[in-house]
Amino acid sequence: MRAEQDIRRLLAAADPVRDHPVPPVPVFDPPAPVHRRRRVLVAAALVAVVAAGAAVWTVARPNAPRGAAATPPLLSITAATDTRPAPVLLEEIAARAQRSGVPTGRPGGTEHFQMQAWYLHAQVQRGDTRSVLQATYTELWWNADGSGRIDTRDSPPQFQSEADQRAWASETDGEGDSSSFEPHERTRMWPDRPPTDPAELALWLEINHPRANGPTEVIASITDLVRQRVLTADERAAVLRVLATVPGLRHDGTTHDRTGRPGMVFSLDSNGHGLPTRYSLVIDPGTGLILAREEVLTKDPGALGVTIPAVITSEVYVRQDFQGTP
């Protein structure tokens, strides 16, 4: 399961967002950040993830059978009534994105990100799977000179059983961390801003994501970019036009992301990284904002100890905007 790329993705600089107020999400209030180094759940990778936001799954009580990892529920998708090809729909969304005026402001100041993220955390020992449901929230301010601040915290963990909680090998307390960084202490995958010409952007994205690796590499490059840059309307339109060139991409229908925002679902099925997986993006049809990314195992769980179909990755890009230094 492309472990190397998943770790690189976890260590990517940021995670995007939305230029509108974040809708309330029930379940609990996340714990206040604790200004000390958090104890890691998955090595150092999770510490560097730039996630954030406002709360965890609305239905996340672990309900997997014993020995299977607990995973978040699948998104509820209403089947598409518009049967036109994905490229046609994405071109229409791209045109609306250019006219949207979202986000306000312009590059050159502080870029502000929030993301809510969940990744499969399971330990498989002698055929028995121990798992935990725990979302990560991080907020990032990245200043024009390269300095910035990251606030990260975990939701309280939800275990499948008391035995899982006792046996879990890592510490999972809902802790927080706040850290500042100086210019050049952190680097973006792409130091310059993305081109607004779709053909140029496609080549630009290939610098770290060669298309020879398969069509999912385009989706990976787009979400990496979305975690690292607050995109202007023109930049976002170009991204959607590059997405429209992905072979096999389809429009699945409509859904609400895990914070309740409505969007259109565009998906691609691939086993290019080991196991049959559905890669989906949830996109706001009015602004073209990429609201969320979901990865779902569809057939073979391999050694991951999950019940198929199973969400193995979920990222919600809660907010992105240009603002002053915090």
Side-chain angles (χ1 to χ4, degrees), residues 22-34:
V22 179
V25 182
V27 177
F28 62 82
D29 294 320
V34 179

Side-chain angles (χ1 to χ4, degrees), residues 32 39 59 61 68 73 75 96 110 115 133 146-147 157 163 174 198 238 262 310-311 316:
R39 292 170 284 181
V59 201
R61 297 294 184 271
L75 292 179
R96 288 193 291 269
T110 297
M115 189 179 82
L133 279 172
S147 64
V311 177
V316 182

Side-chain angles (χ1 to χ4, degrees), residues 10 36 41 73 110 129 162 247 272 295 307:
L10 288 175
R36 55 192 170 96
L41 181 58
T110 297
T129 301
E162 290 185 5
E295 292 184 10
T307 301

Side-chain angles (χ1 to χ4, degrees), residues 124-314:
V124 183
Q125 296 180 345
R126 300 185 183 89
D128 191 22
T129 301
R130 306 286 183 181
S131 61
V132 60
L133 279 172
Q134 189 166 38
T136 301
Y137 318 96
T138 307
E139 188 163 16
L140 167 73
W141 292 264
W142 207 318
N143 303 322
D145 65 358
S147 64
R149 192 182 87 206
I150 299 177
D151 293 345
T152 305
R153 64 184 181 272
D154 291 335
S155 71
Q158 296 184 24
F159 291 93
Q160 198 175 342
S161 67
E162 290 185 5
D164 278 7
Q165 185 170 5
R166 289 193 300 269
W168 190 256
S170 301
E171 297 182 23
T172 54
D173 297 340
E175 294 193 354
D177 176 69
S178 182
S179 61
S180 298
F181 53 92
E182 298 301 320
H184 310 302
E185 285 187 349
R186 294 181 181 270
T187 58
R188 287 181 163 116
M189 189 173 294
W190 298 277
D192 51 338
R193 295 206 65 85
T196 56
D197 177 81
E200 293 180 15
L201 177 62
L203 293 174
W204 185 84
L205 290 171
E206 281 196 62
I207 294 172
N208 295 290
H209 295 276
R211 283 208 178 197
N213 290 348
T216 59
E217 201 69 20
V218 180
I219 295 177
S221 69
I222 288 172
T223 53
D224 280 349
L225 175 61
V226 162
R227 286 194 298 268
Q228 296 191 19
R229 283 289 182 187
V230 176
L231 299 177
T232 66
D234 287 340
E235 291 167 347
R236 193 166 62 255
V239 164
L240 295 173
R241 290 175 173 129
V242 170
L243 178 62
T245 68
V246 174
L249 189 75
R250 66 180 183 276
H251 173 221
D252 279 346
T254 58
T255 191
H256 289 79
D257 72 12
R258 297 185 188 273
T259 65
R261 299 172 299 178
M264 297 172 67
V265 183
F266 293 88
S267 299
L268 173 70
D269 289 328
S270 173
N271 60 359
H273 296 118
L275 297 175
T277 304
R278 177 166 301 141
Y279 302 84
S280 298
L281 296 178
V282 181
I283 298 175
D284 184 318
T287 63
L289 285 165
I290 297 175
L291 305 178
R293 170 175 79 96
E294 299 266 325
E295 292 184 10
V296 176
L297 288 183
T298 56
K299 295 179 181 178
D300 179 9
L304 293 179
V306 295
T307 301
I308 297 298
V311 177
I312 56 172
T313 294
S314 180

